[in-house]
Amino acid sequence: MTAPGRPRPDDEHADLWLTPAEPASWMSVVRLIARLPWALDAQLQRDADLSMVEYTAMAMLSEAPDRTLRMSTLAEVVNSSLSRLSHLVKRPEKRGYVRREPQRTSVLPGVRDMMPSRAP
């Protein structure tokens, strides 16, 4: 007889179940996945007065050609809606970290990273 919730040894899916030693490791990974974004966001808020999403947007801009992206593209790469990103960009824009610019090829505005270039 097997433990409740455990597949029988002759079950073709038995190898998909966690072994007795694996649940503790799995729960450690689950805790890491749950806590890491919060911890990174808290440290960024404390050290740089930036949210994780603001930092991620600025990091994406710093890596983009000419350090500029269309708002719609930036929203996609930071996994945000366009309206949320538009609201989110206001704080870094007020601090001079980014600047919205009209795009000559689009009616959608773009965002430019205004931070000094990083040393090679």
Side-chain angles (χ1 to χ4, degrees):
M1 174 156 218
T2 61
R6 294 267 185 210
R8 294 189 335 255
D10 61 341
D11 185 346
E12 67 182 83
H13 299 289
D15 60 332
L16 300 178
W17 198 260
L18 298 177
T19 67
E22 292 172 331
S25 296
W26 174 247
M27 290 310 298
S28 292
V29 170
V30 169
R31 281 190 294 275
L32 174 69
I33 291 169
R35 293 178 182 166
L36 185 60
W38 176 87
L40 291 173
D41 191 65
Q43 183 171 355
L44 280 166
Q45 289 285 354
R46 184 175 54 251
D47 295 349
D49 194 28
L50 290 171
S51 70
M52 184 66 175
V53 179
E54 290 169 329
Y55 176 82
T56 302
M58 290 173 47
M60 295 297 102
L61 286 169
S62 73
E63 298 297 320
D66 297 324
R67 298 166 63 142
T68 303
L69 289 172
R70 290 174 60 173
M71 290 286 281
S72 57
T73 303
L74 185 58
E76 186 177 318
V77 297
V78 299
N79 196 27
S80 176
S81 69
L82 190 55
S83 62
R84 179 173 183 240
L85 181 69
S86 182
H87 178 74
L88 173 137
V89 166
K90 288 178 185 176
R91 265 185 10 116
E93 186 176 33
K94 286 179 184 175
R95 295 168 72 183
Y97 293 161
V98 299
R99 181 177 69 216
R100 292 180 220 219
E101 299 178 336
Q103 297 288 308
R104 291 184 272 293
T105 60
S106 171
V107 295
L108 294 173
V111 183
R112 176 176 296 278
D113 179 9
M114 298 303 293
M115 295 298 287
S117 295
R118 285 135 183 86

